[in-house]
């Protein structure tokens, strides 16, 4: 039987949004809920980065640098995805691998939208405990426990009340890298079958880079050595993708790609101060529509 643990990368990206809120791309990015979803220990490094405090020693400087870089990534992809959701204005929103995504709690534009949050069971339980009594802005939020590697997304969504005959916006943010190419293709298949005309699929993915893969391993080794806790420890990267692979994968399943941008281009459009250009350029966001 699969043993689940709550995702640590979900906490890391939530910390990144909490670092960015009110500081990066102000007026275009905001996530005031992110800090509320973090516990006291998780908030401490967030506050240190926000206050521009100097790190004590090598381990802490690695940890704070990781958070600052994560904040840049989260700002760009959040703005891109929020815009895509608003533009589609569909009556249903399915967030695949939702983690600590706060859209249903922070976007008033979702007041008439039914939101389905899909995630593996332990991450979902952890989120529900963190949410406490927080009231959503969305019309409804339903939690659907799914392991993309094992469960039938389609059956579980159907049982949760998702209507495949009404248009849906699907968001798959920060999840594809943790799945094998086969698991990704199988999930795209299942999503495609539940897409009425007008549906939209928004996906983030990482493009291949030997340097980035080496950097990721080196960072993890240094965090472990410095006993700072390694948030990537149990969530290895399993796939990277090139834009033309998405064109084929999505095109074969009846989607038309209407946008595909790298995070560096988005950061430039937002007028952000860019610290690690090469790193940002590896991340992409793609929008595919079903006409
Ligand atoms: C980096 S977090 C991203 C969370 C959220 N989408 C965001 O951007 O804030 C990765 C998420 O993918 C989920 N995930 C990873 N593998 C999964 C699988 N096989 N089935 C379901 N969820 C999975 C994790 O539970 C986690 O919530």
């Amino acid at each position: 039987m699969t043993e689940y643990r709550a995702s640590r990368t979900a906490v890391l990206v939530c910390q990144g949004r909490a670092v960015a809120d009110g500081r990066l791309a102000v007026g275009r990015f905001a996530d005031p809920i992110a800090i509320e979803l973090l516990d006291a220990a998780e908030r401490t490094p967030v506050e240190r980065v926000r206050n521009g405090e100097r790190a004590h020693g090598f381990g802490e400087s690695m940890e704070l640098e990781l958070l600052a870089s994560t904040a840049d990534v989260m700002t760009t992809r959040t703005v891109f995805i929020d815009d895509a959701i608003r533009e589609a204005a569909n009556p249903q929103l399915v967030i695949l691998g939702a983690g600590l995504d706060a859209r249903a709690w922070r976007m008033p534009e979702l007041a008439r939208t039914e939101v389905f949050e899909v995630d593996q069971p332990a991450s979902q339980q952890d989120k529900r405990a963190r949410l406490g009594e927080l009231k959503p802005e969305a019309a409804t939020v339903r939690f659907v426990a799914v392991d993309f590697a094992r469960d039938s997304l389609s059956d579980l969504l159907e049982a949760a009340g998702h209507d495949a005959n009404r248009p849906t916006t699907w968001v798959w943010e920060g999840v594809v890298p943790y799945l094998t190419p086969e698991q990704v293709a199988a999930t795209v298949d299942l999503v495609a079958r539940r897409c009425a005309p007008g549906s939209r699929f928004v996906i983030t993915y990482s493009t291949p880079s030997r340097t980035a893969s080496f950097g990721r391993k080196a960072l993890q080794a240094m965090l472990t050595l410095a006993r700072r806790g390694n948030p990537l420890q149990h969530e290895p990267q399993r796939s990277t993708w090139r834009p033309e692979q998405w064109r084929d994968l999505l095109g074969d399943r009846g989607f038309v790609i209407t946008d595909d941008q790298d995070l560096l281009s988005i950061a430039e459009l937002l007028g952000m101060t860019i610290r690690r250009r090469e790193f940002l350029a590896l991340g992409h966001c793609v929008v595919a529509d079903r006409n």
Side-chain angles (χ1 to χ4, degrees):
M1 203 179 92
T2 313
E3 252 196 62
Y4 293 104
R5 65 178 83 224
S7 165
R8 297 309 299 167
T9 59
V11 173
L12 173 66
V13 295
C14 184
Q15 287 175 306
R17 289 188 287 262
V19 166
D21 183 52
R23 293 175 65 249
L24 303 185
V26 177
R28 291 290 280 120
F29 170 86
D31 189 346
I33 306 292
I35 193 82
E36 295 189 41
L37 297 179
L38 300 171
D39 68 24
E42 292 157 356
R43 285 181 194 193
T44 303
V46 168
E47 295 302 346
R48 298 201 56 159
V49 179
R50 288 181 64 87
N51 297 335
E53 288 174 35
R54 279 177 70 102
H56 300 302
F58 177 70
E60 193 182 55
S61 85
M62 296 298 302
E63 185 186 20
L64 300 192
E65 174 56 30
L66 175 63
L67 266 191
S69 304
T70 303
D72 291 348
V73 169
M74 298 321 297
T75 303
T76 52
R77 76 185 199 197
T78 303
V79 169
F80 182 95
I81 296 170
D82 288 0
D83 284 353
I85 293 171
R86 284 190 199 103
E87 190 189 65
N90 278 326
Q92 302 180 106
L93 171 65
V94 178
I95 305 181
L96 300 166
L100 301 178
D101 185 312
R103 290 188 170 89
W105 288 266
R106 70 170 168 78
M107 287 182 75
E109 299 91 332
L110 299 179
R112 290 149 68 89
T113 304
E114 291 183 64
V115 176
F116 298 84
E117 289 222 339
V118 173
D119 211 339
Q120 55 96 342
S123 294
Q124 204 155 70
Q125 268 167 28
D126 179 57
K127 180 180 196 166
R128 295 181 81 159
R130 288 168 186 264
L131 282 167
E133 299 299 311
L134 216 55
K135 292 276 169 292
E137 295 280 345
T140 57
V141 184
R142 285 176 222 160
F143 294 94
V144 189
V146 172
D147 179 345
F148 300 121
R150 195 197 60 181
D151 300 322
S152 166
L153 174 66
S154 188
D155 292 351
L156 292 164
L157 272 174
E158 180 81 28
H162 175 254
D163 184 351
N165 297 311
R166 294 170 79 211
T168 301
T169 298
W170 304 77
V171 171
W172 210 6
E173 178 185 11
V175 187
V176 162
Y178 304 108
L179 303 176
T180 64
E182 295 73 25
Q183 289 162 357
V184 171
T187 305
V188 172
D189 261 337
L190 292 173
V191 169
R193 280 190 229 139
R194 300 196 67 84
C195 275
S199 293
R200 167 166 278 191
F201 198 0
V202 190
I203 303 164
T204 69
Y205 64 97
S206 304
T207 52
S209 156
R210 279 217 195 116
T211 321
S213 159
F214 175 75
R216 196 179 156 95
K217 285 187 187 122
L219 172 72
Q220 292 190 70
M222 288 188 277
L223 285 168
T224 307
L225 265 176
R227 296 182 203 281
R228 301 304 304 181
N230 169 9
L232 311 176
Q233 186 182 2
H234 299 290
E235 293 165 78
Q237 190 172 56
R238 294 194 169 98
S239 66
T240 54
W241 298 78
R242 294 182 193 284
E244 54 275 20
Q245 291 178 287
W246 286 106
R247 206 182 48 220
D248 294 344
L249 188 63
L250 292 164
D252 289 349
R253 288 157 182 83
F255 290 99
V256 176
I257 291 185
T258 48
D259 204 358
D260 185 332
Q261 292 199 40
D262 66 75
L263 301 186
L264 175 60
S265 309
I266 302 171
E268 284 172 344
L269 282 173
L270 291 172
M272 289 169 62
T273 306
I274 298 163
R275 293 160 338 113
R276 298 181 60 198
R277 301 183 72 81
E278 339 64 51
F279 177 64
L280 269 183
L282 293 172
H284 276 238
C285 295
V286 60
V287 177
D289 288 331
R290 174 64 76 75
N291 298 315

